[in-house]
Amino acid sequence: MDENERVLYDDGLHKCVMFSFDDEEQEDSFLSVNQFLIVQNESAVLIDPGSEAIFDELYDAVSRYVSPKNIKFIFLSHQDPDVSASITQWALTTKAKFVMSSLWIRFMSHYGFTELSRIMALPDRGAKIKFGQEFLEFVPAHLLHSPGNFSLYDSKSKVLFSGDIGAAIVKSKESGKKVSNFKEHIEYLEGFHKRYMASYKLCRAWVKRVTQLDVKIIAPQHGFIFENEDVNAFLNWFESLACGSDLLEELY
Ligand SMILES: [Fe+2]
Ligand SMILES: [Fe+2]
């Protein structure tokens, strides 16, 4: 297996894979970026496929697990380029529906994407869809950091794909790992979350919603995954984080 790949869950029928491709031509490629794939039988969901620069590598990597024509959904947690900029390439090479917040649909044409009939718009309160014997739940994560933002919970693997929530600012070479000591990991989380997340009230609302789910792994779009006791360690830290508007005097 490639060093850019890590299997998060595999029971023979259902699999979750994490990829960590980044744009190596960028001199300042200091930020690790993760992409994810859920495969169940012959059906798949691709999560936050990212920028155009990594499309070829990611397409080849995904093809080793599933034929791209069997990708049913491509979920975009929010509108950022590191999440969504390759939407047109994926539209041309798959038959997938694109699942995203209704807030960002009108912006997708700026990435060259105009096939609006292929978009499944998520309402603010999220949605739950059947996927094989199980379900996928789009959990509201608004203003954490994007105004229209969702995490995705896979009920079979119990992995929560959390988008930018839980993102660590680590070098791209460091990506694809798991947190081994949460206290030591905080320094890689703190600056990003304080500045990008909107307020502790929103952090708390997300944590409240997430604790109603049975989560075994939190898999963010940047940096390391949280497993077992580190899931709770992260949730405890995040729900009382002063960030964004809580730190108004640092901004104005
Ligand atoms: Fe983002
Ligand atoms: Fe991001």
Side-chain angles (χ1 to χ4, degrees):
M1 184 176 295
D2 202 284
E3 58 173 5
N4 296 318
E5 288 174 35
R6 182 189 184 107
V7 175
L8 302 181
Y9 178 89
D10 187 1
D11 65 11
L13 294 172
H14 188 101
K15 193 177 270 192
C16 294
V17 190
M18 171 174 174
F19 305 100
S20 304
F21 292 113
D22 66 293
D23 183 2
E24 282 146 17
E25 283 173 22
Q26 285 280 14
E27 281 271 308
D28 61 346
S29 167
F30 59 89
L31 181 63
S32 82
V33 187
N34 304 318
Q35 307 81 29
F36 302 96
L37 180 73
I38 306 172
V39 184
Q40 191 177 108
N41 297 319
E42 286 300 295
S43 195
V45 182
L46 180 63
I47 300 166
D48 290 348
S51 67
E52 288 182 72
I54 64 159
F55 172 80
D56 289 341
E57 282 177 296
L58 183 60
Y59 186 89
D60 289 347
V62 165
S63 303
R64 289 200 291 276
Y65 293 92
V66 69
S67 167
K69 72 174 177 356
N70 291 338
I71 299 175
K72 204 168 173 189
F73 301 109
I74 297 178
F75 168 59
L76 306 172
S77 62
H78 60 296
Q79 84 293 358
D80 272 350
D82 61 333
V83 167
S84 306
S86 60
I87 183 170
T88 304
Q89 285 150 303
W90 287 102
L92 290 170
T93 50
T94 69
K95 296 188 178 84
K97 288 261 186 205
F98 294 88
V99 186
M100 72 182 81
S101 162
S102 57
L103 256 63
W104 299 121
I105 295 169
R106 65 177 71 108
F107 289 81
M108 290 299 123
S109 62
H110 297 280
Y111 291 135
F113 177 83
T114 51
E115 291 184 74
L116 295 185
S117 61
R118 290 179 64 182
I119 290 182
M120 188 189 279
L122 292 171
D124 278 348
R125 289 185 184 278
K128 207 170 174 175
I129 56 173
K130 243 183 104 56
F131 186 62
Q133 302 297 313
E134 300 284 329
F135 66 87
L136 300 173
E137 186 166 348
F138 300 94
V139 179
H142 306 307
L143 295 149
L144 302 169
H145 65 94
S146 168
N149 197 46
F150 291 91
S151 302
L152 172 56
Y153 177 67
D154 171 24
S155 70
K156 182 69 184 171
S157 64
K158 304 190 190 313
V159 177
L160 178 70
F161 301 94
S162 58
D164 281 331
I165 299 171
I169 305 302
V170 294
K171 294 240 189 298
S172 52
K173 286 188 191 67
E174 295 283 301
S175 59
K177 295 182 180 169
K178 65 175 190 170
V179 173
S180 55
N181 181 327
F182 182 74
K183 281 214 166 87
E184 286 175 12
H185 191 61
I186 288 174
E187 70 170 288
Y188 304 104
L189 302 173
E190 206 157 38
F192 176 82
H193 287 78
K194 278 185 165 177
R195 184 63 182 88
Y196 280 78
M197 302 295 153
S199 95
Y200 87 92
K201 279 187 187 167
L202 292 149
C203 301
R204 188 162 290 187
W206 182 83
V207 170
K208 196 174 167 201
R209 180 79 182 254
V210 163
T211 46
Q212 289 162 11
L213 303 166
D214 181 12
V215 177
K216 294 269 188 286
I217 291 178
I218 294 179
Q221 197 225 344
H222 306 279
F224 297 4
I225 61 163
F226 302 85
E227 230 175 336
N228 304 321
E229 65 275 13
D230 289 316
V231 168
N232 275 336
F234 172 71
L235 294 176
N236 289 336
W237 175 81
F238 189 58
E239 75 171 347
S240 52
L241 180 76
C243 57
S245 64
D246 308 317
L247 306 169
L248 207 59
E249 68 285 354
E250 293 179 19
L251 300 171
Y252 292 90

